[in-house]
């Protein structure tokens, strides 16, 4: 037994459809009429409401009482007749706002004034936090347009890469640059400007299976919508050679546009097959001015109301402090004092890394909120990070600069690069081995004793270790720098190696009289028979050929210790080259350091 949804009369469940089709007249199980007139009125009201169109139904006004007076009260419903006009509510009463369901709010209130409750609704809403409010400052300040990218001419007004982006001819590329130079930012802006699908992966967490899935999605996307897919692979040099080979087919077929970012030299870290399919763009290291502009923009974004005080202390005393200025706001002025001197210090401290500079600025903003914080306190809180990778380009670039400084007799530069390597944790034996090579390659015949010194230095570094062996390394580095130079033996050796590359020279037969004859058969064949033993002759001088017949008369060892070229810049400036005598005649006061470097 169920109740009819129209007449509310009991009807059998099997007969409910036929009951409704009969207009609620037949198949009623209980023929008794309602016990009261009220129940009858209720049934009629429900029936009429079911068949009445929505446009003719009476309007209802829902009134909510003010929660300040009665938080547990329920809304009051005011019914209106379908034929009666609905009046627009006047000014708000103390009972609370009244809302009319189905009726639009009039353009203007009748009395021309809004109630206090309505004004409170239109008051300034509570400010919401940004989506990336908890992200680091470097992420929040990431440029949103190509014009915001600082220090990279590639995406500048006349940049090559910018022109390719604007003409929708973005090729697969490798972005090579140091940390914090904008590789990830440029890749994201390329996809944003070109209007392509952008997928970002990291070589440390992505594998071959994920890359194949991305290639399939990119092919489907291109077939369905014609939209290209850009895959940005950060730290692509961490992919193995077999993993990098996965990109060869899709990149060559144009299914995806690969943008790889790397801090390592792509010539060594990216396979040649993939490198030939991509264009390599080198991002330059940011200057201190570029980093300062980035920090200044970040400071204006984080503290838009921060004023720049005068650099003169007297004028600062004359300025009146505004009322309500907190201690943190006063501390933030440390970043703007003396024409943003602290920002310039942070920019130089970042060493061309915008991310490091923004992280330092974020730290400085937190330190400024502490009471009685000074500029010196902020500087002491910073930690210097030496940019040196013992397995990367910095390793080879620094040792190369050290070697060339010694070769150029610049002891100051040699000591600088030596200290830089040792401070960064370079193996002292690696530096000592290089100085053994320098003793023969660059000093050579000019001072044969330095080879023994360099060998002794290596032995001392091996037995003593750091930090004391840095003194032995410095001794040898200065001695090699100040010593006269001779590359006569080294250049002669290179000439001999060059001759071996000529056709047939490497396999020329050894002259018979110079051959070894350890057996009777060899002596019977004439090996060593006509050899003249030099110590048996006066002054050891004999007439004898030592080179193979085809090379007789050829000279490999030159007569000059150094080359014969003249530097035009030296002639123009009139300054002599740096030699050992320049240091011997120097009258500058010497500063002696104890073994601890003080």
């Amino acid at each position: 037994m169920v109740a009819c949804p129209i007449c509310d009369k009991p009807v059998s469940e099997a007969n409910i459809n036929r009951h409704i089709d009969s207009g609620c007249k037949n198949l009623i199980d209980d023929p008794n009429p309602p016990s009261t007139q009220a129940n009858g009125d209720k049934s009629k009201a429900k029936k009429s409401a079911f068949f009445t169109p929505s446009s003719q139904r009476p309007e209802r006004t829902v009134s909510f009482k003010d929660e300040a007076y009665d938080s547990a009260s329920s809304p009051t419903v005011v019914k209106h007749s379908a034929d009666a006009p609905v009046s627009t509510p006047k000014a708000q009463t103390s009972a609370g706002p009244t809302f009319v369901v189905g009726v639009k709010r009039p353009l203007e209130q009748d009395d021309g004034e809004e109630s206090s409750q309505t004004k409170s609704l239109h008051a300034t809403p509570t400010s919401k936090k940004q989506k990336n409010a908890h992200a680091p400052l470097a992420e929040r300040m990431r440029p949103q347009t190509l014009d915001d990218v600082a220090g990279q001419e590639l995406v500048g007004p006349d940049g090559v890469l910018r022109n390719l982006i604007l003409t929708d001819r973005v090729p697969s590329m490798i972005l090579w640059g140091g940390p914090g130079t904008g590789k990830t930012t440029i890749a994201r802006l390329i996809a944003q400007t070109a209007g392509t699908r952008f997928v970002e992966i990291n070589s440390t967490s992505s594998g071959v299976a994920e890359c194949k899935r991305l290639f399939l999605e990119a092919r489907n996307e291109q077939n369905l919508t014609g939209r290209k897919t850009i895959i940005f692979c950060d730290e692509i040099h961490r992919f193995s050679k077999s993993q990098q080979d996965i990109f060869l087919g899709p990149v060559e077929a144009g299914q995806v546009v690969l943008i790889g970012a790397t801090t390592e030299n792509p010539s060594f870290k990216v396979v040649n097959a993939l490198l030939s399919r991509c264009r390599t763009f080198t991002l330059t290291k940011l200057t201190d001015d570029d980093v300062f502009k980035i920090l200044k923009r970040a400071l204006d974004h984080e503290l838009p109301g921060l004023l720049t005080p005068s650099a003169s202390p007297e004028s600062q005393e004359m300025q009146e402090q505004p009322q309500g200025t907190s201690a943190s706001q006063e501390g933030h002025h440390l970043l703007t004092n003396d024409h943003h001197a602290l920002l310039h210090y942070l920019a130089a401290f970042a060493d061309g890394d915008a991310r490091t500079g923004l992280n330092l600025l974020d730290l400085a903003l937190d330190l400024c909120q502490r009471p009685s914080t000074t500029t010196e306190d902020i500087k002491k809180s910073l930690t210097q990070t030496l940019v040196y990778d013992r397995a990367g380009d910095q390793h080879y670039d620094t040792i190369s600069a050290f070697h060339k400084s010694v070769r150029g007799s610049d002891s100051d530069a040699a000591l600088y690069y030596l200290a830089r390597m040792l401070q960064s944790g370079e193996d002292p034996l690696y530096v000592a081995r290089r100085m053994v090579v320098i003793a023969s390659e660059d000093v050579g015949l000019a001072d044969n004793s330095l080879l023994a010194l360099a060998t002794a230095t290596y032995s001392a570094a091996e037995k003593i270790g750091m930090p004391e062996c840095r003194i032995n390394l410095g001794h040898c580095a200065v001695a090699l720098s100040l010593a006269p130079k001779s590359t006569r033996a080294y250049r002669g050796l290179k000439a001999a190696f060059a001759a071996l590359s000529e056709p047939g020279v490497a396999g020329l037969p050894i002259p018979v009289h110079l051959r070894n004859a350890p057996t009777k058969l060899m002596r019977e064949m004439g090996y060593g028979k006509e050899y003249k033993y030099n110590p048996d002759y006066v002054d050891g001088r004999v007439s004898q050929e030592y080179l193979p017949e085809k090379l007789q008369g050829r000279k490999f060892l030159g007569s000059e210790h150094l080359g014969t070229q003249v530097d035009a810049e030296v002639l123009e400036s009139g300054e002599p080259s740096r030699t050992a005598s320049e240091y011997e005649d120097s009258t500058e006061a010497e500063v002696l350091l104890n073994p601890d470097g003080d």
Side-chain angles (χ1 to χ4, degrees), residues 67-132:
E67 296 181 357
Y69 294 95
D70 187 6
S71 59
S73 61
S74 59
T76 303
V77 180
V78 183
K79 295 185 177 180
H80 296 279
S81 171
D83 299 332
V86 181
S87 60
T88 304
K90 301 292 183 179
Q92 179 62 41
T93 61
S94 61
T98 302
F99 304 94
V100 180
V101 179
V103 179
K104 294 182 178 181
R105 182 178 62 84
L107 182 62
E108 296 180 358
Q109 299 290 345
D110 293 347
D111 54 2
E113 295 181 358
E114 293 184 354
S115 63
S116 60
Q117 183 73 11
T118 307
K119 290 181 179 180
S120 64
L121 294 176
H122 292 282
T124 304
T126 305
S127 59
K128 295 183 179 180
K129 292 184 178 181
Q130 300 178 359
K131 292 190 299 182
N132 58 350

Side-chain angles (χ1 to χ4, degrees), residues 229-295:
T229 298
I230 291 180
I231 296 180
F232 173 66
C233 181
D234 196 12
E235 305 293 338
I236 193 174
H237 61 273
R238 297 186 183 275
F239 268 140
S240 63
K241 293 184 178 181
S242 59
Q243 289 175 319
Q244 294 181 23
D245 290 340
I246 298 296
F247 292 93
L248 296 180
V251 169
E252 186 173 10
Q255 295 178 4
V256 298
V257 176
L258 174 64
I259 300 180
T262 176
T263 57
E264 304 292 338
N265 192 332
S267 302
F268 305 120
K269 298 297 183 178
V270 181
V271 294
N272 293 332
L274 182 59
L275 202 60
S276 65
R277 290 166 172 81
C278 301
R279 297 185 60 178
T280 302
F281 294 100
T282 303
L283 302 184
T284 58
K285 182 179 179 179
L286 300 180
T287 63
D288 292 349
D289 292 337
D290 295 330
V291 179
F292 172 76
K293 293 177 182 178
I294 295 174
L295 299 184

Side-chain angles (χ1 to χ4, degrees), residues 557-576:
L557 182 64
S559 59
E560 300 291 337
H561 288 285
L562 298 174
T564 58
Q565 298 182 13
V566 178
D567 189 359
E569 295 182 1
V570 174
L571 295 178
E572 293 176 359
S573 60
E575 297 179 0

Side-chain angles (χ1 to χ4, degrees), residues 275-351:
L275 202 60
S276 65
R277 290 166 172 81
C278 301
R279 297 185 60 178
T280 302
F281 294 100
T282 303
L283 302 184
T284 58
K285 182 179 179 179
L286 300 180
T287 63
D288 292 349
D289 292 337
D290 295 330
V291 179
F292 172 76
K293 293 177 182 178
I294 295 174
L295 299 184
K296 181 64 168 58
R297 181 165 61 92
L299 182 63
D300 295 340
H301 179 270
E302 293 296 308
L303 303 173
L306 186 63
L307 300 178
T308 302
S310 174
S312 174
E314 297 179 357
S315 59
Q316 290 182 7
E317 295 178 358
M318 297 177 62
Q319 294 178 351
E320 296 181 358
Q321 291 289 343
Q323 296 182 357
T325 302
S326 62
S328 62
Q329 292 175 343
E330 294 179 358
H332 287 151
H333 285 297
L334 295 174
L335 299 169
T336 59
N337 287 339
D338 195 13
H339 303 290
H340 299 88
L342 185 56
L343 280 188
H344 283 286
Y345 179 83
L346 296 179
F349 201 89
D351 193 26

Side-chain angles (χ1 to χ4, degrees), residues 7 26 31 46 57 60 111 119 176 208 251 254 260 264 277 300 308 331 372 475 490 492 509 517 574 593:
C7 61
N26 302 329
K46 288 186 177 181
R57 293 181 185 177
R60 297 186 301 168
D111 54 2
K119 290 181 179 180
W176 175 30
V208 175
V251 169
E264 304 292 338
R277 290 166 172 81
D300 295 340
T308 302
S372 303
H475 172 199
Y490 178 59
L593 302 179

Side-chain angles (χ1 to χ4, degrees), residues 115 151 209 249 277 315 345 359 383 391-392 469 485 506 583:
S115 63
R277 290 166 172 81
S315 59
Y345 179 83
N359 291 337
T383 303
C469 74
K485 305 299 188 294
Y583 296 93

Side-chain angles (χ1 to χ4, degrees), residues 395-408:
H395 168 77
Y396 298 102
D397 291 344
T398 310
I399 193 65
S400 176
F402 170 76
H403 189 158
K404 293 171 182 175
S405 300
V406 174
R407 179 183 298 155

